[in-house]
Structures are given as C-alpha cells and as structure tokens.
Amino acid sequence: MQLSDLIFLDTETTGNEAEDRLCQLAWKFHGQSIDEMFSNIYKPPVPISIDSMAVHHITEKMVAARPLFKESNDYQPIKNLLEKPNSIMVAHNAPFDLDMLNKEGIQPTYSIDTLKLIRHFDPEMIIKRHNLQYLRYFLKIDEDVSYPIQAHDAKSDVIILELVFNRLYKKAQEIFNITSAAETLQKLIELSTQPAFIGKFAFGKYVGQMVEDVAQQDPQYLKWLYNQKLDSDQDETDWLFTLRQVLKM
C-alpha cells in the first residue's frame, strides 16, 4: 500500500433513506491537482428530495438530460478503479458513500473513514464537532486553496477531505510511532473498521455535555437513545458502542 493508492471520494445524493441514490460523484487521487480531479452529476433513478436540494443545490432540471450513473461512460472506469486490488477509498462517513456505491454495483477494495479516525483521535471531543465543514474552519485547512470551496458540493468536499486526511495521517504516525506509508495506511484502514467512542453530544437536549456525565444524570434518556439508534437505517455503530460502554450493557 502506498499514498498513490488513495482515492478521495464524495457523493451527493437524493436523500439519506434506503431507497436514495447518488446524483453527483467527485474523486481525486492523492496529490492530484484540483484541475485534474473528476466531478460529474447524473440523473438518479429516484426523485431528488427538496431537503437534499436545499443542501447540495442539485435540482431535477439540472440532471434531466444526464444519464443514469450506471449507464454513463464514467461508470466502468470508476468501478474498475475502486475495485483494483490496492485501491483505498477515503471518505468522511465512509459507510454512507460505500452504501451508495454498493447500490450501483461497486464494492471498493479498501476504505478509510476520516470521521471514524477523528473520533478515535479526539474521544473527549476537544474539537466541538467532527463534521467535515466544522473541521475545515477549526483546522483552517483551506486558507491557501484558490478553488472557490462550496459546502456540500462533492468536488469541494473532496478537496477538504484530502486536507483533513493529511492531518490525520500525520497524527496517526505520531500516535503509533510509525513512519512507513504502508504501515500507516494499514493502521488507518484497521481503525476505520473499529467502533469509536463518542465523548460529547453534538445534538439534542444534552448538546455540549459529555456522554458519560449524562449517563449519571439521565440513564433513561440514553437507554431511549440506544433503542432509537438500534432501529435506525443509518450506520450507528459508534453510538451503539458508546452507549453500551457508558450504560455498561
């Protein structure tokens, strides 16, 4: 494994329910110039929700004349690239993008989840939020980027994603005292498959409070939350792991 195996990827979608599909895909190789990176929009097989349009601003009119992703000229080259033996897809909240790709018949060989990594490296949530745009401003990582970054545009998110990854890559080498690219990438892949502890609420009535403190004050709320996460259609591995830990389940 080497840095040239990395493929930074982001999808924009019709929504986040089981039936939803991608309508934009962007990706770039590690170190590739912004001018050379890939980005395109596609007509999805299901309607784009208004909620999603309000986030990424891709409308039905914009995709009306576009091909379905699976029927586009882009499909097979991207599938071949992501399924190469050493390819490593990097995404923020990778399970979501992996799910969207799986719906299109694409199964990336390896993946690294930068959201999972930041949770592992910041369990006390010194960084208040771990979403990509918050990290962008907290870390001041795009101040020297000339491309006009737009939140929730797949191309812009990929640019930010790579910059966040570069910080996490160096952090992993410091924490685990490793220097080789192969060993570091293997460690990041392993961490991306392991549940991470979420230290602080970034939502709800206990926003800003430590999860362990809430476990002492209001365990019933956490038990209710656990059942909600258990029934969710989304990947809630980290929350379920956290709640089991603090509730001693």
Side-chain angles (χ1 to χ4, degrees):
M1 292 181 179
Q2 51 193 349
L3 291 173
S4 59
D5 294 324
L6 295 172
I7 302 164
F8 297 91
L9 182 144
D10 185 62
T11 60
E12 297 299 337
T13 68
T14 59
N16 58 9
E17 302 299 328
E19 67 275 10
D20 284 304
R21 304 289 285 275
L22 69 82
C23 56
Q24 185 185 18
L25 177 70
W27 64 267
K28 73 186 295 292
F29 292 116
H30 184 267
Q32 186 179 30
S33 73
I34 294 173
D35 293 337
E36 297 175 310
M37 69 181 291
F38 176 91
S39 179
N40 212 344
I41 60 174
Y42 306 94
K43 182 178 180 178
V46 298
I48 305 172
S49 70
I50 300 298
D51 285 341
S52 293
M53 290 184 201
V55 173
H56 54 52
H57 308 295
I58 300 171
T59 66
E60 293 283 353
K61 183 177 180 180
M62 291 169 63
V63 300
R66 298 280 182 164
L68 294 168
F69 174 54
K70 211 166 187 177
E71 297 175 0
S72 72
N73 293 331
D74 303 328
Y75 178 76
Q76 198 61 49
I78 292 170
K79 177 177 171 66
N80 292 344
L81 176 65
L82 290 170
E83 293 181 349
K84 284 175 59 177
N86 290 326
S87 288
I88 307 168
M89 187 196 87
V90 183
H92 199 74
N93 191 19
F96 180 83
D97 297 287
L98 286 168
D99 181 53
M100 288 297 161
L101 292 170
N102 288 340
K103 290 175 184 177
E104 304 292 347
I106 299 175
Q107 297 184 322
T109 309
Y110 297 105
S111 64
I112 290 174
D113 183 357
T114 51
L115 175 59
K116 183 82 74 171
L117 296 181
I118 194 70
R119 285 175 173 172
H120 279 300
F121 296 162
D122 183 28
E124 298 299 317
M125 293 191 69
I126 295 170
I127 301 175
K128 184 178 178 181
R129 297 181 186 275
H130 291 159
N131 65 68
L132 198 60
Q133 295 304 317
Y134 193 92
L135 294 173
R136 167 191 174 188
Y137 291 111
F138 183 88
L139 299 173
K140 301 178 181 178
I141 58 175
D142 67 324
E143 292 183 345
D144 297 324
V145 174
S146 58
Y147 181 82
I149 300 295
Q150 301 174 37
H152 304 296
D153 163 72
K155 184 174 182 178
S156 295
D157 285 353
V158 167
I159 294 168
I160 299 301
L161 171 66
E162 182 177 14
L163 296 172
V164 168
F165 171 84
N166 290 340
R167 295 287 188 94
L168 296 172
Y169 179 86
K170 293 178 181 177
K171 186 69 174 177
Q173 291 188 320
E174 293 172 5
I175 292 173
F176 301 108
N177 192 28
I178 49 181
T179 57
S180 78
E183 193 175 355
T184 306
L185 293 174
Q186 185 61 52
K187 188 65 180 179
L188 296 181
I189 290 170
E190 290 173 6
L191 287 173
S192 295
T193 67
Q194 298 170 4
F197 188 86
I198 300 174
K200 188 183 296 182
F201 278 100
F203 63 86
K205 65 178 182 178
Y206 291 113
V207 62
Q209 295 193 40
M210 303 303 292
V211 178
E212 290 180 322
D213 291 341
V214 176
Q216 300 298 319
Q217 303 164 12
D218 192 355
Q220 289 304 122
Y221 172 75
L222 295 191
K223 290 175 183 176
W224 170 84
L225 182 62
Y226 179 84
N227 289 326
Q228 294 295 307
K229 298 294 185 184
L230 197 61
D231 292 338
S232 173
D233 292 333
Q234 307 303 310
D235 179 60
E236 300 289 2
T237 304
D238 292 345
W239 265 113
L240 292 171
F241 172 75
T242 299
L243 293 169
R244 289 189 190 108
Q245 292 287 103
V246 298
L247 292 171
K248 304 187 188 313
M249 297 174 68

